[in-house]
Amino acid sequence: GQNIDQPTEMTATEGAIVQINCTYQTSGFNGLFWYQQHAGEAPTFLSYNVLDGLEEKGRFSSFLSRSKGYSYLLLKELQMKDSASYLCAVRDYTGTASKLTFGTGTRLQVTL
Amino acid sequence: DAMVIQNPRYQVTQFGKPVTLSCSQTLNHNVMYWYQQKSSQAPKLLFHYYDKDFNNEADTPDNFQSRRPNTSFCFLDIRSPGLGDAAMYLCATSTTGLTYNEQFFGPGTRLTVL
């Protein structure tokens, strides 16, 4: 079965750092994605991890530990526009296509 | 710009009246996906096409069908929409292969069932 857990909501202050955690238990694993989704809009890609460790991309970093079934997304220097849902998704490769199983998302509210 | 386009952005239909949502892409990706996302829930994969090969998820209701007449276009047909089918429908595309292949999402079609 597929089980992906994220906190439902988080609040942080503009300029601060926030860490959004994701734990997963899935039957297949071939990488983990983080997507950002603003209300009423499509998800947009933020990061991808397939090996253990930290991937840094500007203000966003993502970490993966495959042995622990754990990832986090780190957002630095928070801006008001970062208020959105952040979706953790585990990739399973079927031999032809990548299938993503999404968590329910963490709704981040950035305040002044 | 290469992109994934969904039409219409908002669709209203009546209970039981068939409806078709469309998706087109200029990325020339060989894989296309349809997801259903209900309010405050995760996107749920309904099915995907690898080229012309159709792959249905085990728990996708028979009420949902799909067509892919060519590489660029993919359609989602809901034969008899129920109130529970009201949701955002997301189309996505990707390349294939074992290496990293990000899925690119369209803006979605929000379906309302009256």
Side-chain angles (χ1 to χ4, degrees):
Chain A
Q2 313 285 79
N3 191 38
I4 300 175
D5 285 319
Q6 305 178 233
T8 305
E9 291 186 355
M10 298 182 73
T11 302
T13 307
E14 189 178 36
I17 299 172
V18 71
Q19 178 174 312
I20 302 174
N21 295 323
C22 171
T23 57
Y24 63 89
Q25 292 173 304
T26 56
S27 54
F29 181 86
N30 212 280
L32 188 144
F33 287 83
W34 283 95
Y35 281 82
Q36 180 191 61
Q37 187 177 27
H38 285 99
E41 298 182 13
T44 55
F45 168 78
L46 289 178
S47 70
Y48 173 71
N49 295 71
V50 67
L51 299 176
D52 292 349
L54 189 68
E55 293 284 339
E56 296 188 80
K57 208 174 180 183
R59 293 191 299 117
F60 296 82
S61 303
S62 56
F63 172 83
L64 176 67
S65 168
R66 289 171 296 169
S67 62
K68 295 181 179 176
Y70 168 69
S71 174
Y72 67 73
L73 180 69
L74 194 70
L75 292 80
K76 303 175 190 173
E77 300 168 16
L78 280 173
Q79 302 174 9
M80 298 299 288
K81 67 178 182 179
D82 297 329
S83 294
S85 285
Y86 291 85
L87 301 166
C88 170
V90 170
R91 173 185 182 233
D92 189 11
Y93 183 67
T94 66
T96 54
S98 289
K99 294 172 62 173
L100 293 182
T101 301
F102 284 88
T104 53
T106 298
R107 189 160 53 246
L108 174 66
Q109 181 72 42
V110 180
T111 60
L112 290 171
Chain B
D1 286 342
M3 56 197 324
V4 182
I5 302 161
Q6 290 188 245
N7 284 307
R9 294 291 309 276
Y10 300 90
Q11 176 73 57
V12 180
T13 190
Q14 292 178 335
F15 183 94
K17 185 175 181 181
V19 66
T20 295
L21 310 182
S22 74
C23 176
S24 63
Q25 53 131 341
T26 60
L27 297 161
N28 205 33
H29 286 168
N30 52 356
V31 189
M32 294 186 79
Y33 307 81
W34 279 105
Y35 290 87
Q36 179 193 62
Q37 186 177 26
K38 297 186 177 180
S39 181
S40 302
Q41 295 186 20
K44 180 180 176 301
L45 182 64
L46 296 174
F47 23 62
H48 74 274
Y49 274 94
Y50 169 62
D51 290 331
K52 285 190 173 291
D53 292 335
F54 176 71
N55 297 271
N56 201 29
E57 292 301 296
D59 56 354
T60 298
D62 292 341
N63 198 25
F64 292 87
Q65 303 286 321
S66 185
R67 297 169 283 138
R68 189 179 186 187
N70 53 52
T71 301
S72 301
F73 284 86
C74 195
F75 300 97
L76 171 62
D77 300 309
I78 308 177
R79 292 193 292 191
S80 181
L83 298 179
D85 297 327
M88 174 78 89
Y89 289 88
L90 297 165
C91 173
T93 73
S94 75
T95 56
T96 188
L98 189 56
T99 56
Y100 152 76
N101 45 18
E102 170 195 345
Q103 289 189 18
F104 293 82
F105 284 85
T109 295
R110 184 168 295 284
L111 178 68
T112 300
V113 181
L114 300 177

